[in-house]
Amino acid sequence: MADERRAARAPTGTHDILWPESWRWEGLVAAFADEAERAGYGLLQSPMFEYAEVFRRGIGEASEVVGKEMYEFPDRDGQVLALRPEGTASVVRAYVEHHPVPPFKAWYVTPAFRHERPQAGRYRQHHQVGVEAIGAADPDLDVEVVALADGFYRRLGLSDFTLKVNSMGDEACRPAYVERLGEVLAGRRELLCDEHRARLEANPLRVLDCKRDGCRAATADVPRLVDSLCDPCAAHFARVGEGLASLGVPWELDHRLVRGFDYYTRTTFEFASGAIEAAQNAIGGGGRYDGLVEMLGGPPTPGIGFGIGIERVLIACDKEGVFPADPPPPDAFVVDVAGGSSARDLTAALRRAGLRADRAFDGRSMKAQMKLADRSGAAVALIVGPGELAGGTVTVRPLRGDGEQRTVPLAEVVGEVLSTRPPNGEVR
Ligand code: HAM
């Protein structure tokens, strides 16, 4: 691509979010913040890039995200940094660095960078809201975390989605299962897709969630991890299932659910939208990572969390026809054709009084300004022409509904607009 074309467009797989779509983002993040904060999670802001080691150790060198997709670069001092491909490793790194009192419950909103093949719902910079709860092994915390995500989707109005849950076991029971699975699949090697045949020894678990026919056939009747759990993992999983049922959060066991990061232990889960194409239908996912704090240099500490893809949730909302978000229009649009200072000063006075007010610039004609006023969605136009300027008045022209046009003394116009505003900032 020529340099001048590159200078005028966002990089492949990234996108700008313009108003009014960005208003929906604000609404989504505010709704998430409210859900998370009511459950005791506080906002954590951490750097968008970390030493690459954080993700190499945390997510795992063998994972696709680190091995193939991470944006990694030496900075000008020769330090190897990486743009955050997900939120969890950074939160855990911050936990290890600051050792807050456990349980440490944090929520975040963050871009995440992955060099993927861009397509609808799959981007190189996507955005997540998420939570992490570090320092408690209690299965009731798993229930809290899963229910929080479920409640958030429902608050937006989504209903066409399913929750899949699995257990990845722990260090006591998983290695034996992985070995057994590896042996079974080695005997069916010829059925596997090229990618998983090549990576069978490194990670047989990944074959389980491969969607290709051969891998599907090879894993159709393999032993299930949930049937091979040690007693503590089985008891943990049973309590999670019981808790979700008790809270009325519908879920189904998916023994094939193997998420793409090495840090998962015990509970893993994913929410899939029924309204989006299968390849990109994961609208959120997460799980326990009881060894991650240790992997990043802290003491043995359990943790659990999830990440929710903002873009995908908004796609699901569009498909389900929910969570529309029309930004509130201005309360007033000042139309100044007298060339005095009214547009400047009256607009500022309206804003200082807490009103939403806008205006035109560059001395445009009455017709052009009225067009802008109308397009803005404002409830009223406040018109100052030569007559009004001379008389110290403003013409208040309703642009919506059937109110009458009237002339008001300049000193009273702010009060006049305030008095017609719907209560509590309700949108007209
Ligand atoms: P993840 O499943 O990789 O998990 O990402 C979470 C969500 O981000 C996905 O369910 C999806 O909605 C969205 N997402 C992922 N990749 C893309 C992409 N390329 N384009 C658009 N959306 C995408 C994690 O990131 C874990 N950190 C979740 C977690 C938190 N586990 C424990 N705590």
Side-chain angles (χ1 to χ4, degrees):
M1 194 193 305
D3 285 352
E4 60 271 23
R5 280 190 60 211
R6 245 190 241 122
R9 54 184 293 179
T12 307
T14 70
H15 50 273
D16 301 304
I17 302 135
L18 303 178
W19 185 266
E21 179 65 359
S22 52
W23 170 256
R24 278 217 311 172
W25 279 62
E26 286 184 52
L28 182 150
V29 173
F32 188 79
D34 183 53
E35 293 289 318
E37 287 171 4
R38 278 194 293 115
Y41 294 75
L43 175 65
L44 175 73
Q45 288 277 78
S46 42
M48 218 64 79
F49 56 87
E50 300 271 358
Y51 293 119
E53 215 46 38
V54 170
F55 304 116
R56 294 191 165 284
R57 280 174 184 244
I59 301 173
E61 302 265 1
S63 70
E64 208 150 292
V65 168
V66 170
K68 294 198 196 149
E69 297 170 356
M70 197 154 76
Y71 283 86
E72 200 180 314
F73 55 95
D75 76 357
R76 289 170 190 273
D77 305 322
Q79 308 268 19
V80 181
L81 303 173
L83 296 183
R84 161 191 294 176
E86 56 102 55
T88 311
S90 296
V91 177
V92 173
R93 193 270 310 141
Y95 176 84
V96 172
E97 186 170 338
H98 304 289
H99 31 82
V101 180
F104 173 60
K105 304 211 299 187
W107 75 271
Y108 51 85
V109 50
T110 182
F113 307 89
R114 300 180 190 176
H115 194 271
E116 301 205 66
R117 200 163 58 78
Q119 50 199 293
R122 192 171 294 280
Y123 312 105
R124 291 187 174 167
Q125 177 178 336
H126 72 276
H127 299 78
Q128 294 186 13
V129 285
V131 302
E132 310 295 344
I134 305 174
D138 193 327
D140 286 359
L141 178 59
D142 306 33
V143 175
E144 169 179 302
V145 164
V146 175
L148 198 139
D150 181 80
F152 168 64
Y153 296 128
R154 292 188 194 281
R155 173 173 173 157
L156 297 183
L158 291 173
S159 57
D160 184 7
F161 64 88
T162 52
L163 164 61
K164 295 171 184 163
V165 186
N166 195 15
S167 174
M168 301 299 292
D170 65 8
E171 279 313 299
C173 52
R174 187 170 40 190
Y177 171 79
V178 171
E179 202 182 320
R180 214 158 102 230
L181 179 67
E183 282 164 16
V184 173
L185 293 180
R188 301 173 185 178
R189 193 176 273 282
E190 72 289 351
L191 287 176
L192 304 182
C193 70
D194 292 347
E195 184 190 340
H196 288 113
R197 192 179 311 126
R199 297 180 60 205
L200 181 60
E201 275 69 37
N203 193 353
L205 279 176
R206 296 293 313 173
V207 185
L208 287 178
D209 72 351
C210 178
K211 306 276 184 301
R212 297 187 190 101
D213 291 345
C215 288
R216 279 312 241 205
T219 52
D221 60 349
V222 290
R224 307 187 317 167
L225 183 45
V226 279
D227 299 327
S228 316
L229 299 177
C230 57
D231 288 348
C233 283
H236 186 100
F237 194 53
R239 174 82 186 174
V240 173
E242 181 197 312
L244 292 174
S246 173
L247 266 54
V249 176
W251 66 280
E252 57 195 57
L253 170 70
D254 181 357
H255 79 97
R256 290 177 176 277
L257 179 67
V258 179
R259 295 183 30 79
F261 305 116
D262 290 359
Y263 53 60
Y264 287 118
T265 55
R266 294 195 166 172
T267 315
T268 48
F269 56 94
E270 207 157 87
F271 290 88
S273 167
I276 314 183
E277 218 181 286
Q280 276 81 245
N281 70 355
I283 51 172
R288 256 198 185 277
Y289 42 80
D290 292 345
L292 182 53
V293 173
E294 233 178 323
M295 282 193 261
L296 294 182
T301 313
I304 180 167
F306 64 72
I308 287 176
I310 296 181
E311 289 86 350
R312 292 202 189 162
V313 167
L314 290 177
I315 293 171
C317 288
D318 287 339
K319 299 265 183 191
E320 288 200 44
V322 297
F323 193 52
D326 296 325
D331 296 297
F333 194 101
V334 178
V335 172
D336 183 346
V337 282
S341 53
S342 293
R344 184 188 64 207
D345 297 349
L346 180 54
T347 310
L350 290 159
R351 291 175 187 160
R352 282 191 194 126
L355 292 161
R356 305 172 72 90
D358 211 348
R359 55 163 292 192
F361 290 95
D362 292 335
R364 306 181 69 173
S365 69
M366 170 91 175
K367 194 170 159 206
Q369 290 193 48
M370 284 307 297
K371 212 164 156 186
L372 283 174
D374 202 46
R375 200 183 296 156
S376 77
V380 292
L382 304 180
I383 305 167
V384 183
E388 286 90 346
L389 186 64
T393 60
V394 174
T395 296
V396 180
R397 181 183 296 176
L399 298 173
R400 311 268 169 274
D402 43 28
E404 293 274 304
Q405 174 167 312
R406 58 212 181 275
T407 302
V408 178
L410 179 59
E412 288 169 26
V413 74
V414 172
E416 170 90 10
V417 178
L418 263 175
S419 72
T420 61
R421 196 179 197 222
N424 298 329
E426 239 173 65
V427 178
R428 284 166 211 269

